[in-house]
Amino acid sequence: MSEVALLARIEARPEYADAVAAMLRDALELARQESGTVTWFAFRENDTTFGVFDTFADDQGRDAHLRGRIAEALMSVADTHLASPPDIRKVAVLASKLP
């Protein structure tokens, strides 16, 4: 089990919510290309609130992800598409159930 993880909360401006949702769906392919990313989940909480939860093989994988193409894409639209900066937190997984 990977214990190294990130939890991100993303609040979109209402007029850009569909664009943020599409960007997160498209980011799946980028996450698949990251060797240090073990699992990656994007979710929608309500009309404008989104999130990402991902786990990593180690701290180096997490750090590489934070400097990677998904983070770059998110930050490139932060000023226009997001109501506030993304809230990205380093977390540790205590327990999990995966297939």
Side-chain angles (χ1 to χ4, degrees):
M1 172 186 79
S2 177
E3 297 177 355
V4 178
L6 288 172
L7 179 63
R9 185 173 181 277
I10 301 161
E11 187 66 35
R13 294 176 193 241
E15 64 272 25
Y16 290 107
D18 290 340
V20 171
M23 183 180 70
L24 290 172
R25 281 191 295 273
D26 293 344
L28 176 59
E29 187 53 40
L30 297 175
R32 287 180 174 148
Q33 296 171 18
E34 296 178 346
S35 61
T37 300
V38 177
T39 61
W40 189 89
F41 303 89
F43 58 90
R44 188 174 206 157
E45 188 176 327
N46 58 44
D47 288 345
T48 59
T49 306
F50 300 87
V52 175
F53 175 76
D54 33 14
T55 65
F56 305 91
D58 50 34
D59 286 324
Q60 291 81 11
R62 179 170 59 189
D63 292 343
H65 177 75
L66 287 169
R67 294 187 309 269
R69 292 174 61 197
I70 296 172
E72 184 180 291
L74 182 61
M75 296 315 292
S76 74
V77 300
D79 288 342
T80 56
H81 289 40
L82 305 185
S84 59
D87 179 9
I88 302 171
R89 299 171 187 232
K90 293 180 177 180
V91 297
V93 175
L94 298 178
S96 64
K97 178 187 179 289
L98 297 170

